[in-house]
Amino acid sequence: MTKIKETSTNFANKKALADECPEVYASNIIGGQWALAICCYLVNGKMRFGELKKHLQNITERMLTLQLRKLEEDKIITRTVYAEVPPRVEYELTEIGYKLKPIILEFEKWGTAHRQLIEQSFEEE
């Protein structure tokens, strides 16, 4: 996950669009391949790193760590470390993160309907 250079035209375009359009701003936060998937699992409650890794089988540990850090930086999730041996770390959506729940449920409905539409069009060909 590389950062876009702040001096690039791409960065300036993304920033300008996000400043003008709240939907683009939101999409930039949760629109990545893994961020929304992580939120989908956390919407049901706290999870540990290993639990998330089991659900997201194709993600590397490094990418999961990077995505969790980014979501934490964006105040979408919180990371709680328990002083135990071995240490236990849990991730949970923040108050603003939990506000994604109805959006995630609508995405699920939309995705299901769209997939059926596409499958039907393939069957008709």
Side-chain angles (χ1 to χ4, degrees):
M1 194 167 85
T2 60
K3 284 196 166 196
I4 300 172
K5 290 182 184 176
E6 292 186 21
T7 56
S8 73
T9 304
N10 187 14
F11 180 85
N13 290 342
K14 279 186 124 177
K15 182 169 179 358
L17 194 54
D19 289 346
E20 293 173 19
C21 184
E23 296 87 353
V24 172
Y25 174 82
S27 175
N28 288 342
I29 294 171
I30 62 164
Q33 179 179 1
W34 298 110
L36 184 58
I38 291 166
C39 291
C40 287
Y41 288 111
L42 291 178
V43 85
N44 297 315
K46 297 176 185 178
M47 292 184 89
R48 294 173 70 175
F49 185 92
E51 293 173 301
L52 284 167
K53 180 73 177 93
K54 283 180 189 172
H55 286 293
L56 303 164
Q57 295 176 4
N58 294 328
I59 194 170
T60 64
E61 287 189 16
R62 175 171 159 63
M63 181 54 70
L64 180 54
T65 299
L66 290 172
Q67 291 292 317
L68 289 168
R69 284 181 187 162
K70 177 80 170 88
L71 287 168
E72 187 178 14
E73 179 184 310
D74 289 334
K75 309 290 189 234
I76 304 298
I77 66 170
T78 57
R79 178 180 186 263
T80 306
V81 180
Y82 295 91
E84 299 174 357
V85 177
R88 178 170 52 109
V89 179
E90 290 182 336
Y91 297 92
E92 182 178 23
L93 291 173
T94 60
E95 185 178 338
I96 193 80
Y98 273 114
K99 290 185 179 189
L100 287 170
K101 188 171 186 169
I103 297 164
I104 289 170
L105 294 174
E106 285 302 314
F107 264 130
E108 180 182 13
K109 284 189 228 173
W110 184 89
T112 301
H114 188 267
R115 181 178 288 154
Q116 289 172 349
L117 176 73
I118 297 300
E119 288 171 357
Q120 286 173 356
S121 69
F122 281 123
E123 291 172 2
E124 293 172 0
E125 291 178 1

